[in-house]
Amino acid sequence: MKKSMMKPPISRMGGKSKLRKTIIEMIPKHTCYIELFFGAGWVYFGKEKSKVEVINDADRELINLFKMIKYHAPEIERLLEYEFSGRDIFEEYKNCQVEYLTEIHRAIRFLYLISQSFAAKGNHYGYKVTSKPAPHIFYKNELAEVRERMRNTFVENLSFEKIIDKYDRKESFFFCDPPYFETTGYCTEFSEEDHILLRDKLKNIKGKFLLTINDNPKVREWYKDFNIKEVEVHYSVSRSAEARKNYGELIITNY
Ligand SMILES: C[S@@+](CC[C@H](N)C(=O)[O-])C[C@H]1O[C@@H](n2cnc3c(N)ncnc32)[C@H](O)[C@@H]1O
C-alpha cells in the first residue's frame, strides 16, 4: 500500500494543503529543492525527499520552531504536556518579550499562539462553542518523524531574494508560495515591490521554478512570458460560512 503523505506539525494561514498533490506532480527533475516561503511546509512534507533540500521563511519565530523540533523535540513534547488553553495565557504569550525566553520556550510560545488562535493567525484567542480547544501540536509524539524528515535540509531565515542568489544552479528547483498579492496577515508584509522583485529574480535564474499565487490581472501581466495554469481551490479562511470561498489560483512555471 502507498504510504500516506506526511502532514506538517503546525497549521498556518495560506497552507497549501489542498493544492499540494497537483504541485508535487509538477515538480521537475532536480538535485536541490528550495522552498522560499516555507510556512507550514505542506509541499515539503508531502513530497519525496530530494538529495539536498532548503527551507526558508522570513518569520524568525517560525524558523526557530523548526530548528527546535530538529534539536529538542522530546523537550518540546515534555513542556507541551503542561500547557492548557486559557485566554490569560494566550495574552501573556502574545505580549511577552521573546528576547527574555529561551529558544525552546519561544517555540512553545509560537505553537501555543497559532494553535489557540482564530485561523492560526496568532492574534485573537480562538475560543469555540462546538468543539474543544485545538491540541497545541497536531501530531504529538511524532516530532521525531519531523526531525528525521529534516535531516538533509538546510534551514534558512532570510528574505527570498538572498536565498535565490545563494542557491541558484542549473539543477536547482525553487518552489515559491509567497503571500497572496493584495492580502495581509503575516508578521512580515509583502508589498507590490516585493512581488515585482520576486518576478525579476525568477526571470533570470539558471534553475527551474514553480510559483503559486492568487489569480489577478496584474499577476498575469507580470508572468505573461511563462507557463500559467489555472486551478480552483476551496479554502476556509475564517469560521463564518460566508467567508468560505472558492479562490482562483495560478501555478506558474518556467519549464
Ligand atoms: C503563503 S505562506 C506559505 C505557505 C506554505 N507553502 C504552506 O504550505 O504552509 C507565505 C510565507 O512567506 C513568508 N514570508 C513573507 N515575506 C517573506 C520574505 N520576504 N521572504 C521569505 N519569506 C517570507 C511568511 O512568513 C509566510 O510563512
Side-chain angles (χ1 to χ4, degrees):
M1 206 176 72
K2 206 168 173 293
K3 216 174 120 243
S4 65
M5 279 191 202
M6 194 175 167
K7 287 185 183 153
I10 60 164
S11 95
R12 180 139 173 111
M13 197 180 125
K16 280 291 163 292
S17 53
K18 304 270 168 59
L19 206 55
R20 72 166 166 174
K21 213 171 145 271
T22 312
I23 296 170
I24 291 169
E25 281 167 6
M26 290 177 71
I27 296 180
K29 203 168 157 282
H30 62 278
T31 306
C32 182
Y33 172 88
I34 304 124
E35 211 164 296
L36 293 177
F37 306 89
F38 189 61
W42 279 91
V43 172
Y44 168 86
F45 285 112
K47 73 180 195 64
E48 294 291 323
K49 274 189 191 174
S50 307
K51 185 171 177 208
V52 182
E53 295 179 311
V54 182
I55 59 175
N56 175 67
D57 198 287
D59 187 335
R60 194 177 75 127
E61 295 309 302
L62 176 92
I63 291 300
N64 175 65
L65 169 68
F66 282 98
K67 205 163 108 191
M68 291 304 108
I69 289 177
K70 194 166 169 173
Y71 297 116
H72 301 294
E75 184 58 5
I76 291 180
E77 282 180 353
R78 191 185 72 81
L79 287 172
L80 287 172
E81 291 281 324
Y82 304 101
E83 294 287 355
F84 61 88
S85 190
R87 188 181 295 275
D88 280 3
I89 309 169
F90 183 86
E91 291 302 326
E92 220 169 277
Y93 270 141
K94 194 178 130 185
N95 298 318
C96 77
Q97 264 185 290
V98 287
E99 289 70 30
Y100 296 152
L101 302 179
T102 64
E103 285 175 317
I104 294 178
H105 265 111
R106 275 170 50 202
I108 302 289
R109 170 185 176 270
F110 185 78
L111 278 175
Y112 192 94
L113 289 178
I114 55 172
S115 63
Q116 305 308 307
S117 58
F118 285 122
K121 284 187 178 180
N123 43 10
H124 298 293
Y125 182 53
Y127 64 95
K128 293 172 268 200
V129 289
T130 50
S131 55
K132 60 187 180 187
H136 306 301
I137 188 146
F138 290 159
Y139 307 100
K140 213 167 141 330
N141 299 323
E142 288 180 11
L143 287 187
E145 196 192 342
V146 175
R147 198 185 46 201
E148 188 50 41
R149 174 66 189 84
M150 293 173 73
R151 244 176 227 292
N152 65 342
T153 302
F154 296 103
V155 181
E156 295 273 14
N157 182 209
L158 295 170
S159 193
F160 67 89
E161 68 280 10
K162 300 198 180 85
I163 300 295
I164 296 178
D165 289 344
K166 286 185 196 306
Y167 291 95
D168 183 31
R169 303 286 186 285
K170 226 167 109 276
E171 310 73 29
S172 297
F173 168 68
F174 294 92
F175 168 50
C176 322
D177 182 24
Y180 281 164
F181 178 49
E182 289 180 333
T183 54
T184 53
Y186 296 100
C187 74
T188 39
E189 288 306 321
F190 208 80
S191 65
E192 183 158 346
E193 288 71 45
D194 291 321
H195 277 287
I196 303 268
L197 175 62
L198 176 61
R199 193 278 315 266
D200 290 344
K201 283 277 176 194
L202 291 177
K203 216 173 174 170
N204 295 309
I205 58 171
K206 297 198 250 335
K208 298 195 168 80
F209 79 80
L210 182 153
L211 169 85
T212 49
I213 192 158
N214 51 322
D215 195 352
N216 177 291
K218 272 197 187 170
V219 172
R220 283 180 181 264
E221 176 59 28
W222 297 335
Y223 287 96
K224 65 179 182 330
D225 299 334
F226 297 97
N227 304 311
I228 302 185
K229 179 181 154 100
E230 285 166 36
V231 275
E232 273 279 287
V233 200
H234 173 86
Y235 281 117
S236 80
V237 287
S238 140
R239 262 129 229 274
S240 67
E242 314 85 71
R244 290 166 209 268
K245 282 190 192 139
N246 283 321
Y247 288 96
E249 187 130 356
L250 303 176
I251 298 184
I252 305 174
T253 59
N254 66 344
Y255 55 92

